[in-house]
DNA sequence: CTGAAAGCGCTTACAG
DNA sequence: CTGAAAGCGCTTACAG
C-alpha cells in the first residue's frame, strides 16, 4: 500500500503538499495539484484513515456495538428495531458484530479494536473473564436477555414463562406433551423447559413428556426451521399421539400451526415471544416484548454512558405474560 | 485524556513498560505491574485504539456500512435481514449509519472516516458528487432501491408497480380513488403514483382521484403511521366516498385494512411491498421481495470488492408483482 | 525485567 | 504556494 511518502517522492514534492491535496488542494498550485493527483491514481493511493484520526485526535465515536447471536431470527431483529428506535434519536450509529464465524477464537479483541461508545450483549453467555476484559478497557456494556450477577443485565424470567406455558396446556385435558427446542440448548431454552417441568412436578401431574431438539445450522436462515418444525409436529401427532406442544420460540411454533391446519385431531400449541405475526396467526404464546426490551436496553445503556463507572449492577427482571388466542 | 506518557511519568517507568502492561503484563515485574495498574485506574486511562491500530497497521476491516433512511420501517428491516444473511456467512460485520440527524451536514465525511470495506446505499438520493467522493476514496459501493446512471444500482421498477396497482383497482368498478403517501415525497413514491396515473391516462379512465400525504416525523417509529392511515381511511370513506385505495407501502395499508373492518361499505385496497405480515392480513399488494433484494445487494457488493475498480456500472431492474388476496 | 529509540502515516503551525 | 519539523499515542525490536 502506497503511503504519503511514496506519493511525495514520485511527485517530487514534500509530504506536506501531498497532504494539502488530500484535503482538497487549497493553497496548492494547479500544476502541482494535477501532478500529485496523477501520481495518486497511478499508485492507487488511499490515505490511511487511522493515521488521519490519530493526528486529528478523533478518539470518541458515536457508535454502539451489539453482539447478537442471529439476526435472521425475527425475535432478535425486533430487539434491534427497538434498539435503533432509541439510537437514531440519540444520534448514534449501530455496529452489529458477526459472531457466526468465531469457532474457537474470541470476538472480544475485535470489539475492543472498534472504538465504540458502548456495547449491548444480547443473548450471549458472557463469561466473567470477558466481562472483566470489557471493564478493563472501559467499554460500558449491558447484557440483554440474560441474567449475569457480574454485569448490568435486563432479562425476562424464562422459568416463569415455562410455568405459564405449562399452566395453559394443563388447563386442557391432554394425553401427551412435546417440548420442541433447538439442539443448541441455550440457557434461555433450558430455563423455559425447566420452568415447564417444574410446574408439572409441583402440581403432581404425571403426563408423558417428549423432548425433541432440532439441530440448527447457523449458516441457514432461521426461517428454514419453521419448515422443520412443521414436519416434526406432523410426525409427533400421527406417530406418537402428542396433543400438546410447547415450542421454544414462535418461529418454530409457526410450523406447528401449519401442521395443525392439516390435522383433524385437536392439538394445543404454545409458542414463546409473541412476534408481530403471532397475533394474525392466532398463536397462543408467552409474550416477551422484543421491541420494548430493545428500547429499554438502549436507553439504559445511554444512561450508563453518562454514569459513574462504579455504579452498582443493575438487574432488571421482566415478567413474561401468557397470551391466549384462537 | 491521559496518555501512555502520563502513566509512565506518574509510575516512574518508561512508556515501553506501560505498553507491556496494556498488553497484559508479560515480562513485567509484579510490583511494577501493580504500580502501573494503579496509576491507570487513578487517571482513568484508556489506551487510544486509533494509535494502536496505526502502529499495528490494522488498516483493512471486514465491515460493510449501510446507509438507510429508516430502519423502523419494516420493509427496510427486511432488507437488512437479507443483507445480513449474506454478511454473516461471508464473515463481515455490519455498520448502520444514522442519517436521521443530518440536518444540512453531510454524512459522507463520517462514512469515509470509518474504514469500511464497502457500502450499501439504500433508498437514498445519492448525488453525482457524493458518488464521486466515494469513488475518489476508493470505497466500493452499490445503490439499492434506486436507479442511478452513475453507479451500480439494483432497484425495482416502481412505475410498473404503480401500473399494476391501477390495473387491479380498475378491474373493479369504483367511484373514487385515493392515493395515500408520505409528505416526504420520495422518488420511489413519485414513481409509483406516476405509474398509477399513467395507466389511467393510457386507458382513458376518468375517475376522480384524491391524493393525500401523511407528514412523517422521523423521530417517531414508523408503526405510528399505521394508526394515522387508519384514521385517514375512515375519513375518506365516510366523508369523501372513496372506495379504492392505493397505499405507498404495506405498513400504511395496514391502517386501511383495519378501517375496512369497521366499515360496512365495500372498499378495495392495494399496498406496496408484500411484507411477511401482509399475507396473514389478506392484503392485496405489489410485491417487491425485501429480503431477496437485500441478499442480492450484499452478494453483489461482495463480488464488487474483488473486482476491478473500473467495471462498467451494473444496473439491475427487478419487476414487481401483483399479489391478489382475500 | 526495563528503557531509548525508531517508526506507524498522517496534519499543521511556522517560516519562507 | 511549499517544505522542514514536530507531534498525534502507541508498539516493538534491540540492547542492556
Amino acid at each position: 500500500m502506497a503511503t504519503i511518502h511514496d506519493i511525495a517522492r514520485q511527485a517530487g514534492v514534500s509530504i506536506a503538499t501531498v497532504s494539502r491535496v488530500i484535503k482538497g488542494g487549497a493553497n496548492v498550485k494547479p500544476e502541482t495539484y494535477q501532478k500529485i493527483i496523477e501520481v495518486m491514481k497511478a499508485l492507487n493511493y488511499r490515505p490511511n484513515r487511522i493515521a488521519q484520526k490519530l493526528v486529528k485526535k478523533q478518539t470518541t465515536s458515536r457508535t454502539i456495538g451489539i453482539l447478537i447471536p442471529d439476526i435472521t431470527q425475527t425475535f432478535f431483529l425486533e430487539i434491534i428495531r427497538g434498539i435503533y428506535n432509541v439510537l437514531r434519536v440519540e444520534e448514534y450509529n449501530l455496529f452489529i458484530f458477526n459472531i457466526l464465524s468465531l469457532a474457537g477464537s474470541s470476538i472480544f479483541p475485535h470489539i475492543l479494536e472498534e472504538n465504540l461508545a458502548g456495547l449491548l450483549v444480547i443473548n450471549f453467555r458472557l463469561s466473567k473473564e470477558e466481562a472483566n476484559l470489557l471493564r478493563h478497557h472501559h467499554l460500558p456494556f449491558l447484557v440483554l436477555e440474560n441474567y449475569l450477577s457480574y454485569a448490568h443485565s435486563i432479562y425476562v424470567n424464562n422459568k416463569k414463562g415455562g410455568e405459564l406455558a405449562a399452566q395453559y396446556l394443563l388447563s386442557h385435558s391432554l394425553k401427551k406433551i412435546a417440548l420442541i427446542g433447538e439442539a443448541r440448548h441455550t440457557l434461555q431454552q433450558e430455563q423455559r423447559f425447566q420452568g415447564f417441568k417444574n410446574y408439572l412436578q409441583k402440581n403432581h401431574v404425571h403426563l408423558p413428556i417428549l423432548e425433541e431438539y432440532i439441530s440448527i445450522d447457523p449458516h441457514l436462515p432461521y426461517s428454514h426451521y419453521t419448515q422443520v418444525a412443521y414436519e416434526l409436529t406432523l410426525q409427533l401427532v400421527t406417530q406418537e399421539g402428542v396433543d400438546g406442544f410447547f415450542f421454544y420460540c414462535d418461529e418454530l411454533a409457526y410450523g406447528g400451526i401449519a401442521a395443525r391446519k392439516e390435522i383433524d385431531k385437536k392439538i394445543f400449541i404454545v409458542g414463546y415471544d409473541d412476534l408481530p405475526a403471532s397475533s394474525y396467526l392466532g398463536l397462543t404464546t408467552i409474550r416477551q416484548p422484543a421491541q420494548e426490551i430493545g428500547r429499554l436496553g438502549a436507553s439504559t445503556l445511554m444512561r450508563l454512558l453518562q454514569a459513574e463507572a462504579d455504579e452498582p449492577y443493575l438487574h432488571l427482571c421482566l415478567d413474561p405474560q401468557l397470551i391466549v388466542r384462537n
Side-chain angles (χ1 to χ4, degrees), chain A:
Chain A
M1 201 62 200
T3 75
I4 197 171
H5 287 99
D6 302 323
I7 307 300
R9 196 178 320 114
Q10 282 277 332
V13 296
S14 75
I15 61 166
T17 301
V18 177
S19 178
R20 289 185 189 102
V21 170
I22 292 172
K23 284 173 43 189
N27 301 325
V28 178
K29 189 162 38 152
E31 297 91 88
T32 317
Y33 180 86
Q34 273 310 326
K35 173 71 183 161
I36 292 175
I37 289 288
E38 275 164 29
V39 174
M40 284 176 165
K41 280 216 172 117
L43 299 193
N44 192 22
Y45 171 71
R46 303 176 61 167
N48 182 322
R49 315 240 186 276
I50 305 291
Q52 288 176 319
K53 280 194 183 183
L54 175 61
V55 63
K56 285 205 173 166
K57 297 199 166 214
Q58 294 171 353
T59 174
T60 53
S61 78
R62 287 188 75 82
T63 300
I64 296 295
I66 77 181
L67 210 53
I68 196 160
D70 183 2
I71 200 180
T72 72
Q73 216 166 329
T74 303
F75 179 70
F76 295 125
L77 203 65
E78 289 293 319
I79 288 188
I80 289 183
R81 173 151 37 181
I83 291 169
Y84 200 68
N85 271 337
V86 173
L87 293 193
R88 57 204 287 271
V89 175
E90 300 279 345
E91 306 187 6
Y92 277 81
N93 301 311
L94 181 59
F95 192 110
I96 302 177
F97 286 97
N98 192 334
I99 61 179
L100 178 60
S101 53
L102 296 161
S105 77
S106 165
I107 190 154
F108 290 90
H110 296 101
I111 292 177
L112 295 172
E113 266 170 24
E114 299 294 335
N115 208 240
L116 301 171
L119 180 72
L120 285 167
V121 177
I122 303 172
N123 200 4
F124 183 92
R125 248 172 173 139
L126 189 76
S127 74
K128 202 160 188 169
E129 288 68 36
E130 290 163 341
N132 283 335
L133 183 67
L134 294 178
R135 267 192 286 274
H136 180 251
H137 287 269
H138 295 86
L139 180 60
F141 68 100
L142 171 67
V143 173
L144 283 188
E145 285 287 293
N146 221 346
Y147 166 76
L148 289 184
S149 65
Y150 44 88
H152 300 290
S153 39
I154 299 181
Y155 56 100
V156 177
N157 190 334
N158 281 295
K159 278 203 176 162
K160 180 80 181 293
E163 286 171 21
L164 288 172
Q167 193 178 353
Y168 167 75
L169 284 182
L170 291 188
S171 69
H172 306 276
S173 50
L174 299 176
K175 293 199 203 70
K176 200 170 189 177
I177 290 179
L179 308 183
I180 315 278
E182 304 177 354
R184 286 191 285 200
H185 294 283
T186 62
L187 185 59
Q188 288 75 12
Q189 177 172 292
E190 302 289 289
Q191 292 170 340
R192 290 172 199 173
F193 288 178
Q194 199 53 57
F196 192 99
K197 290 183 265 186
N198 283 353
Y199 184 89
L200 298 197
Q201 273 201 345
K202 261 192 299 187
N203 291 278
H204 308 291
V205 177
H206 298 290
L207 220 54
I209 294 193
L210 236 69
E211 300 186 30
E212 291 285 342
Y213 297 98
I214 297 174
S215 56
I216 302 284
D217 174 354
H219 290 269
L220 286 176
Y222 199 81
S223 54
H224 168 74
Y225 297 101
T226 301
Q227 176 67 20
V228 175
Y230 160 80
E231 287 155 12
L232 182 58
T233 306
L234 273 186
Q235 185 201 321
L236 290 177
V237 172
T238 56
Q239 294 177 21
E240 303 281 348
V242 174
D243 54 357
F245 288 86
F246 177 32
F247 287 92
Y248 161 61
C249 67
D250 278 5
E251 246 168 326
L252 294 182
Y254 295 164
I257 294 271
R260 182 164 65 183
K261 282 190 188 152
E262 301 189 4
I263 295 172
D264 49 2
K265 279 198 223 165
K266 185 153 180 80
I267 65 174
F268 289 87
I269 292 175
V270 194
Y272 207 107
D273 288 343
D274 197 25
L275 301 180
S278 299
S279 69
Y280 309 134
L281 287 166
L283 175 66
T284 293
T285 190
I286 309 300
R287 171 155 221 257
Q288 51 171 353
Q291 275 201 44
E292 281 150 49
I293 291 170
R295 271 197 294 273
L296 185 60
S299 54
T300 307
L301 182 62
M302 298 285 99
R303 205 164 49 65
L304 250 38
L305 297 187
Q306 321 296 334
E308 297 296 308
D310 295 335
E311 202 167 300
Y313 295 137
L314 170 88
H315 289 131
L316 202 51
C317 178
L318 308 175
D319 267 335
Q321 197 188 344
L322 172 69
I323 306 288
V324 178
R325 293 208 177 90
N326 198 337

Short mmCIF file of all heavy atoms in Angstrom, two decimals, chain A residues 24-66:
data_model
loop_
_atom_site.label_atom_id
_atom_site.label_comp_id
_atom_site.label_asym_id
_atom_site.label_seq_id
_atom_site.Cartn_x
_atom_site.Cartn_y
_atom_site.Cartn_z
N GLY A 24 -8.10 18.42 -0.36
CA GLY A 24 -8.90 19.11 -1.36
C GLY A 24 -8.07 20.03 -2.25
O GLY A 24 -8.53 20.46 -3.29
N GLY A 25 -6.89 20.34 -1.82
CA GLY A 25 -5.98 21.08 -2.70
C GLY A 25 -5.94 22.59 -2.51
O GLY A 25 -5.45 23.32 -3.38
N ALA A 26 -6.45 23.08 -1.40
CA ALA A 26 -6.37 24.52 -1.15
C ALA A 26 -4.90 24.91 -0.99
O ALA A 26 -4.11 24.17 -0.42
CB ALA A 26 -7.15 24.86 0.13
N ASN A 27 -4.55 26.08 -1.51
CA ASN A 27 -3.17 26.59 -1.41
C ASN A 27 -2.15 25.68 -2.09
O ASN A 27 -1.04 25.52 -1.60
CB ASN A 27 -2.76 26.78 0.06
CG ASN A 27 -3.66 27.75 0.78
OD1 ASN A 27 -4.13 28.73 0.18
ND2 ASN A 27 -3.91 27.49 2.05
N VAL A 28 -2.55 25.10 -3.20
CA VAL A 28 -1.61 24.31 -3.98
C VAL A 28 -1.69 24.79 -5.42
O VAL A 28 -2.79 25.00 -5.95
CB VAL A 28 -1.95 22.80 -3.92
CG1 VAL A 28 -0.98 22.00 -4.79
CG2 VAL A 28 -1.90 22.30 -2.49
N LYS A 29 -0.54 24.98 -6.03
CA LYS A 29 -0.50 25.43 -7.42
C LYS A 29 -1.19 24.37 -8.29
O LYS A 29 -0.95 23.18 -8.13
CB LYS A 29 0.95 25.62 -7.88
CG LYS A 29 1.04 26.29 -9.23
CD LYS A 29 2.41 26.88 -9.54
CE LYS A 29 3.60 26.07 -9.06
NZ LYS A 29 4.79 26.30 -9.90
N PRO A 30 -2.05 24.79 -9.23
CA PRO A 30 -2.81 23.85 -10.05
C PRO A 30 -1.94 22.76 -10.68
O PRO A 30 -2.30 21.59 -10.66
CB PRO A 30 -3.43 24.75 -11.11
CG PRO A 30 -3.57 26.06 -10.45
CD PRO A 30 -2.43 26.19 -9.48
N GLU A 31 -0.78 23.15 -11.21
CA GLU A 31 0.05 22.15 -11.87
C GLU A 31 0.54 21.11 -10.85
O GLU A 31 0.53 19.90 -11.11
CB GLU A 31 1.29 22.78 -12.53
CG GLU A 31 0.96 23.76 -13.64
CD GLU A 31 0.80 25.18 -13.12
OE1 GLU A 31 1.80 25.91 -13.04
OE2 GLU A 31 -0.34 25.58 -12.74
N THR A 32 0.94 21.61 -9.70
CA THR A 32 1.38 20.69 -8.65
C THR A 32 0.24 19.75 -8.29
O THR A 32 0.42 18.53 -8.17
CB THR A 32 1.79 21.49 -7.40
OG1 THR A 32 2.56 22.61 -7.79
CG2 THR A 32 2.59 20.62 -6.46
N TYR A 33 -0.92 20.34 -8.13
CA TYR A 33 -2.11 19.55 -7.78
C TYR A 33 -2.32 18.44 -8.78
O TYR A 33 -2.45 17.26 -8.41
CB TYR A 33 -3.33 20.49 -7.73
CG TYR A 33 -4.61 19.80 -7.38
CD1 TYR A 33 -4.98 19.62 -6.05
CD2 TYR A 33 -5.47 19.32 -8.37
CE1 TYR A 33 -6.16 18.98 -5.72
CE2 TYR A 33 -6.64 18.67 -8.05
CZ TYR A 33 -6.99 18.51 -6.72
OH TYR A 33 -8.15 17.87 -6.40
N GLN A 34 -2.34 18.81 -10.05
CA GLN A 34 -2.55 17.83 -11.12
C GLN A 34 -1.55 16.69 -11.05
O GLN A 34 -1.90 15.52 -11.08
CB GLN A 34 -2.46 18.51 -12.49
CG GLN A 34 -3.77 19.10 -12.97
CD GLN A 34 -4.92 18.10 -12.88
OE1 GLN A 34 -4.73 16.90 -13.07
NE2 GLN A 34 -6.11 18.58 -12.54
N LYS A 35 -0.31 17.11 -10.94
CA LYS A 35 0.77 16.13 -10.91
C LYS A 35 0.56 15.12 -9.77
O LYS A 35 0.66 13.91 -9.95
CB LYS A 35 2.11 16.89 -10.72
CG LYS A 35 3.31 16.00 -10.50
CD LYS A 35 3.68 15.26 -11.78
CE LYS A 35 4.86 14.32 -11.53
NZ LYS A 35 4.95 13.29 -12.58
N ILE A 36 0.22 15.67 -8.61
CA ILE A 36 0.05 14.81 -7.43
C ILE A 36 -1.14 13.87 -7.60
O ILE A 36 -1.06 12.68 -7.30
CB ILE A 36 -0.10 15.67 -6.15
CG1 ILE A 36 1.23 16.38 -5.87
CG2 ILE A 36 -0.52 14.81 -4.97
CD1 ILE A 36 1.17 17.35 -4.71
N ILE A 37 -2.22 14.42 -8.12
CA ILE A 37 -3.40 13.59 -8.36
C ILE A 37 -3.05 12.42 -9.28
O ILE A 37 -3.45 11.26 -9.04
CB ILE A 37 -4.54 14.43 -8.99
CG1 ILE A 37 -5.11 15.41 -7.97
CG2 ILE A 37 -5.63 13.54 -9.56
CD1 ILE A 37 -5.95 14.77 -6.89
N GLU A 38 -2.27 12.73 -10.31
CA GLU A 38 -1.89 11.67 -11.25
C GLU A 38 -1.09 10.57 -10.57
O GLU A 38 -1.34 9.38 -10.77
CB GLU A 38 -1.05 12.26 -12.41
CG GLU A 38 -1.91 12.83 -13.52
CD GLU A 38 -1.10 13.74 -14.42
OE1 GLU A 38 0.13 13.50 -14.55
OE2 GLU A 38 -1.69 14.69 -14.96
N VAL A 39 -0.12 11.00 -9.78
CA VAL A 39 0.69 10.01 -9.08
C VAL A 39 -0.19 9.16 -8.16
O VAL A 39 -0.06 7.94 -8.08
CB VAL A 39 1.81 10.69 -8.27
CG1 VAL A 39 2.57 9.66 -7.45
CG2 VAL A 39 2.75 11.44 -9.20
N MET A 40 -1.12 9.83 -7.47
CA MET A 40 -2.02 9.10 -6.57
C MET A 40 -2.76 8.02 -7.35
O MET A 40 -2.87 6.87 -6.91
CB MET A 40 -3.04 10.06 -5.95
CG MET A 40 -2.46 10.92 -4.85
SD MET A 40 -3.73 12.07 -4.28
CE MET A 40 -2.98 12.63 -2.74
N LYS A 41 -3.30 8.41 -8.49
CA LYS A 41 -4.03 7.44 -9.31
C LYS A 41 -3.13 6.30 -9.72
O LYS A 41 -3.50 5.12 -9.60
CB LYS A 41 -4.58 8.14 -10.57
CG LYS A 41 -5.83 8.93 -10.31
CD LYS A 41 -6.79 8.86 -11.50
CE LYS A 41 -8.12 9.49 -11.17
NZ LYS A 41 -8.42 10.66 -11.98
N ALA A 42 -1.94 6.67 -10.20
CA ALA A 42 -1.03 5.65 -10.71
C ALA A 42 -0.69 4.64 -9.62
O ALA A 42 -0.62 3.44 -9.87
CB ALA A 42 0.24 6.32 -11.23
N LEU A 43 -0.51 5.12 -8.42
CA LEU A 43 -0.13 4.21 -7.32
C LEU A 43 -1.35 3.68 -6.57
O LEU A 43 -1.22 2.98 -5.57
CB LEU A 43 0.81 4.93 -6.34
CG LEU A 43 2.13 5.42 -6.92
CD1 LEU A 43 3.08 5.83 -5.81
CD2 LEU A 43 2.78 4.34 -7.78
N ASN A 44 -2.53 4.05 -7.03
CA ASN A 44 -3.75 3.61 -6.37
C ASN A 44 -3.71 3.94 -4.87
O ASN A 44 -3.95 3.12 -4.01
CB ASN A 44 -3.96 2.11 -6.59
CG ASN A 44 -5.35 1.69 -6.17
OD1 ASN A 44 -6.26 2.52 -6.11
ND2 ASN A 44 -5.51 0.41 -5.87
N TYR A 45 -3.41 5.20 -4.62
CA TYR A 45 -3.20 5.63 -3.24
C TYR A 45 -4.51 5.88 -2.51
O TYR A 45 -5.42 6.50 -3.04
CB TYR A 45 -2.36 6.91 -3.24
CG TYR A 45 -2.26 7.57 -1.89
CD1 TYR A 45 -1.50 6.99 -0.87
CD2 TYR A 45 -2.92 8.76 -1.63
CE1 TYR A 45 -1.41 7.58 0.36
CE2 TYR A 45 -2.83 9.37 -0.39
CZ TYR A 45 -2.09 8.77 0.60
OH TYR A 45 -2.01 9.36 1.82
N ARG A 46 -4.59 5.40 -1.29
CA ARG A 46 -5.72 5.70 -0.40
C ARG A 46 -5.15 6.18 0.92
O ARG A 46 -4.43 5.43 1.57
CB ARG A 46 -6.56 4.45 -0.14
CG ARG A 46 -7.09 3.81 -1.40
CD ARG A 46 -7.83 2.52 -1.09
NE ARG A 46 -8.98 2.74 -0.22
CZ ARG A 46 -9.92 1.83 0.00
NH1 ARG A 46 -9.84 0.65 -0.58
NH2 ARG A 46 -10.93 2.08 0.78
N PRO A 47 -5.50 7.37 1.34
CA PRO A 47 -4.97 7.86 2.62
C PRO A 47 -5.37 6.92 3.75
O PRO A 47 -6.47 6.36 3.73
CB PRO A 47 -5.65 9.22 2.80
CG PRO A 47 -6.21 9.58 1.48
CD PRO A 47 -6.41 8.32 0.70
N ASN A 48 -4.51 6.75 4.69
CA ASN A 48 -4.78 5.89 5.84
C ASN A 48 -5.65 6.63 6.85
O ASN A 48 -5.23 7.57 7.51
CB ASN A 48 -3.44 5.48 6.46
CG ASN A 48 -3.63 4.55 7.62
OD1 ASN A 48 -4.56 4.71 8.40
ND2 ASN A 48 -2.75 3.57 7.74
N ARG A 49 -6.89 6.16 6.96
CA ARG A 49 -7.84 6.84 7.85
C ARG A 49 -7.41 6.77 9.31
O ARG A 49 -7.70 7.65 10.10
CB ARG A 49 -9.21 6.20 7.75
CG ARG A 49 -9.65 5.92 6.37
CD ARG A 49 -10.92 6.63 6.03
NE ARG A 49 -11.34 6.19 4.72
CZ ARG A 49 -10.90 6.71 3.60
NH1 ARG A 49 -10.02 7.71 3.61
NH2 ARG A 49 -11.31 6.26 2.44
N ILE A 50 -6.77 5.68 9.64
CA ILE A 50 -6.34 5.52 11.03
C ILE A 50 -5.35 6.61 11.39
O ILE A 50 -5.47 7.27 12.43
CB ILE A 50 -5.68 4.14 11.20
CG1 ILE A 50 -6.62 3.02 10.73
CG2 ILE A 50 -5.26 3.94 12.63
CD1 ILE A 50 -7.82 2.83 11.58
N ALA A 51 -4.39 6.82 10.51
CA ALA A 51 -3.39 7.86 10.77
C ALA A 51 -4.05 9.23 10.84
O ALA A 51 -3.72 10.06 11.69
CB ALA A 51 -2.32 7.83 9.69
N GLN A 52 -5.00 9.46 9.94
CA GLN A 52 -5.70 10.75 9.96
C GLN A 52 -6.42 10.96 11.28
O GLN A 52 -6.38 12.05 11.86
CB GLN A 52 -6.72 10.80 8.82
CG GLN A 52 -6.08 10.93 7.44
CD GLN A 52 -7.10 10.89 6.32
OE1 GLN A 52 -8.04 10.10 6.36
NE2 GLN A 52 -6.91 11.73 5.31
N LYS A 53 -7.04 9.90 11.75
CA LYS A 53 -7.76 10.02 13.00
C LYS A 53 -6.82 10.29 14.17
O LYS A 53 -7.13 11.07 15.06
CB LYS A 53 -8.53 8.74 13.30
CG LYS A 53 -9.82 8.62 12.56
CD LYS A 53 -10.62 7.50 13.18
CE LYS A 53 -11.89 7.29 12.43
NZ LYS A 53 -12.72 6.25 13.05
N LEU A 54 -5.70 9.60 14.13
CA LEU A 54 -4.75 9.76 15.25
C LEU A 54 -4.33 11.21 15.37
O LEU A 54 -4.42 11.81 16.44
CB LEU A 54 -3.53 8.88 15.02
CG LEU A 54 -2.42 9.05 16.05
CD1 LEU A 54 -2.94 8.70 17.44
CD2 LEU A 54 -1.21 8.20 15.71
N VAL A 55 -3.90 11.76 14.26
CA VAL A 55 -3.37 13.12 14.33
C VAL A 55 -4.48 14.13 14.60
O VAL A 55 -4.27 15.16 15.23
CB VAL A 55 -2.56 13.45 13.07
CG1 VAL A 55 -3.44 13.41 11.85
CG2 VAL A 55 -1.89 14.80 13.19
N LYS A 56 -5.67 13.81 14.15
CA LYS A 56 -6.78 14.74 14.38
C LYS A 56 -7.44 14.50 15.73
O LYS A 56 -8.41 15.17 16.09
CB LYS A 56 -7.82 14.59 13.27
CG LYS A 56 -7.39 15.21 11.96
CD LYS A 56 -8.62 15.55 11.17
CE LYS A 56 -8.30 16.32 9.91
NZ LYS A 56 -9.46 16.33 9.01
N LYS A 57 -6.97 13.53 16.42
CA LYS A 57 -7.48 13.23 17.77
C LYS A 57 -8.97 12.92 17.76
O LYS A 57 -9.71 13.34 18.65
CB LYS A 57 -7.21 14.37 18.73
CG LYS A 57 -5.74 14.64 18.94
CD LYS A 57 -5.59 15.44 20.22
CE LYS A 57 -4.17 15.46 20.70
NZ LYS A 57 -4.09 15.47 22.15
N GLN A 58 -9.41 12.24 16.71
CA GLN A 58 -10.80 11.83 16.68
C GLN A 58 -10.93 10.52 17.44
O GLN A 58 -10.89 9.45 16.86
CB GLN A 58 -11.26 11.64 15.24
CG GLN A 58 -11.27 12.93 14.46
CD GLN A 58 -11.51 12.68 13.00
OE1 GLN A 58 -11.54 11.55 12.56
NE2 GLN A 58 -11.67 13.75 12.25
N THR A 59 -11.08 10.65 18.71
CA THR A 59 -10.99 9.46 19.52
C THR A 59 -12.34 8.88 19.91
O THR A 59 -12.56 7.68 19.89
CB THR A 59 -10.13 9.73 20.76
OG1 THR A 59 -10.16 8.59 21.59
CG2 THR A 59 -10.64 10.93 21.51
N THR A 60 -13.30 9.75 20.20
CA THR A 60 -14.59 9.23 20.63
C THR A 60 -15.51 9.04 19.44
O THR A 60 -15.58 9.87 18.56
CB THR A 60 -15.27 10.20 21.60
OG1 THR A 60 -15.32 11.49 20.99
CG2 THR A 60 -14.52 10.28 22.90
N SER A 61 -16.21 7.94 19.43
CA SER A 61 -17.15 7.69 18.35
C SER A 61 -18.55 7.73 18.92
O SER A 61 -18.76 7.58 20.11
CB SER A 61 -16.90 6.31 17.76
OG SER A 61 -17.46 5.33 18.60
N ARG A 62 -19.49 7.95 18.05
CA ARG A 62 -20.88 7.83 18.47
C ARG A 62 -21.44 6.56 17.85
O ARG A 62 -22.32 6.60 17.01
CB ARG A 62 -21.69 9.06 18.06
CG ARG A 62 -21.35 10.29 18.90
CD ARG A 62 -22.28 11.44 18.62
NE ARG A 62 -23.58 11.26 19.21
CZ ARG A 62 -23.88 11.53 20.48
NH1 ARG A 62 -22.96 11.97 21.30
NH2 ARG A 62 -25.10 11.36 20.92
N THR A 63 -20.90 5.46 18.28
CA THR A 63 -21.32 4.18 17.75
C THR A 63 -21.52 3.18 18.88
O THR A 63 -20.67 3.07 19.75
CB THR A 63 -20.27 3.63 16.76
OG1 THR A 63 -20.12 4.55 15.68
CG2 THR A 63 -20.69 2.28 16.20
N ILE A 64 -22.63 2.51 18.83
CA ILE A 64 -22.93 1.46 19.80
C ILE A 64 -22.78 0.11 19.09
O ILE A 64 -23.29 -0.06 17.99
CB ILE A 64 -24.37 1.60 20.33
CG1 ILE A 64 -24.54 2.90 21.10
CG2 ILE A 64 -24.75 0.40 21.20
CD1 ILE A 64 -23.74 2.99 22.37
N GLY A 65 -22.06 -0.79 19.72
CA GLY A 65 -21.92 -2.12 19.14
C GLY A 65 -22.96 -3.06 19.70
O GLY A 65 -23.40 -2.89 20.83
N ILE A 66 -23.38 -4.03 18.91
CA ILE A 66 -24.20 -5.06 19.50
C ILE A 66 -23.70 -6.44 19.11
O ILE A 66 -23.25 -6.69 18.01
CB ILE A 66 -25.70 -4.91 19.23
CG1 ILE A 66 -26.08 -5.32 17.85
CG2 ILE A 66 -26.18 -3.49 19.46
CD1 ILE A 66 -27.56 -5.14 17.63
#
